[in-house]
Amino acid sequence: MKEPNELEKIMFHPTGNGLKPYEWMMRPTRQMEWIDNKGIFLWLAFFFSEIGAGLYFVSLFYEYRAGIVLGWLVTLILGGLIHVLYLGNPLRAWRMLMKPATSELSRGIWIIGVFAALGFLQMVTAGGFNIVFNVIMGILCLLIISHGFATMNVIRALPAWSSNIVLPFSIISGVWVGQQILQFMFAASGSALLASGMEVWAESFFFAYFLCLVLYVWGTWHANEIGQTSIKMMVDGDLKKITLIGVGGLAVILPLIFTLIMWGGQTNGVLIFLRLAAICAGDLAVRYIIMKSAVYTPLLEKN
């Protein structure tokens, strides 16, 4: 007998509890396709694609070949393969390429394809770090960084995703994590002066990231009742621990402590690594609760 999927388990619970079929979309309904079960691959694919592109983007400013190589590999190997796990059968998934005019996901695949080809060319070309190549690759990186949240942002029925701050937040997030990876690479390779010089950017990106996080919460809360429902889900129930530990602790408090310790360029390789680890885990937590708490606006308004 075929195993019921997650939606069927909720709507046709064996005990008779849970959401009834006639209540579907008649009250605030949490989206599940993009985060539950196989949807977890989409969460990871967006994360790795965006931090890889963020590393590539920041490496362009330093013309650091090792950085663009690692960023290219993370974006395509980790982000790409995990994307395939989400999409399922590649023999069917390729058809998404045929709808770039109407599908944000299709446009993203085309952009990643161009990024893969031009990025490889830049890596193997002796004069690859010229102004024209850098500008083109920089634009492609920013498009990839914003791709995940841009795909989510077009779903207007989910106030937690349709906020105006979502796209700026995604760009700041991807560049912030990419900058931290590059700073650690400099510290680990013995380029202490470069790592120290990057600290002023680390401080700026951290506070920009924190500001975007605050603006996202404020904007979603004040959007409508459904937005408030999403914020309440983040701070209550199953997501409460992830919000407190992952977002509050790893994404905000620990990076703030490490940033204050290294304020003014007094960097340390161990502290840079610890901050990087906290930021990666924290950013994953932020993305998880945003995807997990998204609630559809009911089809019928309250009287």
Side-chain angles (χ1 to χ4, degrees):
M1 182 177 178
K2 181 182 177 182
E3 181 73 17
N5 60 35
E6 191 68 23
L7 180 57
E8 290 171 335
K9 290 178 182 178
I10 293 173
M11 298 184 69
F12 303 99
H13 198 278
T15 64
N17 297 323
L19 188 68
K20 304 297 187 297
Y22 53 81
E23 294 178 320
W24 179 249
M25 293 297 290
M26 294 298 106
R27 62 183 186 185
T29 305
R30 186 178 70 81
Q31 79 80 25
M32 294 170 289
E33 184 66 25
W34 290 40
I35 190 64
D36 293 359
N37 300 320
K38 284 182 66 176
I40 205 75
F41 293 129
L42 195 61
W43 166 63
L44 292 172
F46 284 159
F47 173 74
F48 285 113
S49 295
E50 290 166 25
I51 67 169
L55 173 59
Y56 197 111
F57 178 78
V58 179
S59 298
L60 289 173
F61 291 90
Y62 293 86
E63 298 188 354
Y64 188 56
R65 196 170 298 275
I68 69 168
V69 170
L70 181 59
W72 188 84
L73 290 173
V74 169
T75 300
L76 299 179
I77 304 301
L78 287 178
L81 288 180
I82 297 174
H83 245 119
V84 171
L85 291 175
Y86 170 74
L87 294 173
N89 190 341
L91 298 179
R92 292 197 303 265
W94 69 269
R95 286 178 290 186
M96 285 191 303
L97 291 170
M98 310 307 293
K99 300 181 179 181
T102 58
S103 170
E104 187 66 43
L105 196 58
S106 179
R107 285 192 288 270
I109 294 174
W110 276 103
I111 290 169
I112 291 174
V114 176
F115 168 84
L118 294 184
F120 180 77
L121 187 60
Q122 185 172 40
M123 287 187 293
V124 300
T125 302
F129 287 112
N130 62 71
I131 185 65
V132 176
F133 227 143
N134 286 354
V135 169
I136 293 173
M137 292 308 299
I139 292 172
L140 289 172
C141 286
L142 293 177
L143 290 174
I144 292 173
I145 291 170
S146 61
H147 166 61
F149 278 117
T151 305
M152 295 157 56
N153 191 240
V154 297
I155 306 176
R156 312 311 293 178
L158 294 166
W161 291 0
S162 58
S163 167
N164 291 333
I165 198 63
V166 162
L167 291 181
F169 185 33
S170 68
I171 293 175
I172 292 295
S173 169
V175 176
W176 162 231
V177 180
Q179 188 269 348
Q180 285 298 284
I181 297 173
L182 183 61
Q183 187 178 22
F184 175 68
M185 291 176 71
F186 282 150
S189 64
S191 303
L193 190 60
L194 282 172
S196 177
M198 292 186 73
E199 188 58 26
V200 64
W201 294 110
E203 296 161 4
S204 301
F205 280 120
F206 168 72
F207 288 111
Y209 182 86
F210 177 70
L211 177 61
C212 285
L213 189 58
V214 171
L215 290 175
Y216 169 78
V217 173
W218 186 89
T220 303
W221 177 266
H222 287 89
N224 50 40
E225 270 188 49
I226 308 305
Q228 293 177 12
T229 300
S230 292
I231 299 300
K232 289 175 183 177
M233 288 177 63
M234 294 179 184
V235 297
D236 198 11
D238 295 337
L239 296 178
K240 183 176 181 179
K241 289 183 179 180
I242 298 176
T243 302
L244 291 176
I245 299 173
V247 180
L250 296 175
V252 177
I253 294 176
L254 281 180
L256 174 61
I257 292 172
F258 292 134
T259 299
L260 292 176
I261 292 173
M262 294 187 287
W263 193 269
Q266 303 299 315
T267 54
N268 176 285
V270 174
L271 293 180
I272 291 174
F273 171 76
L274 292 175
R275 182 172 61 187
L276 171 61
I279 288 167
C280 288
D283 194 56
L284 275 168
V286 169
R287 293 165 182 271
Y288 184 82
I289 65 168
I290 289 176
M291 296 179 77
K292 191 79 171 180
S293 65
V295 175
Y296 284 106
T297 302
L299 296 175
L300 299 179
E301 296 182 1
K302 289 183 178 180
N303 294 325

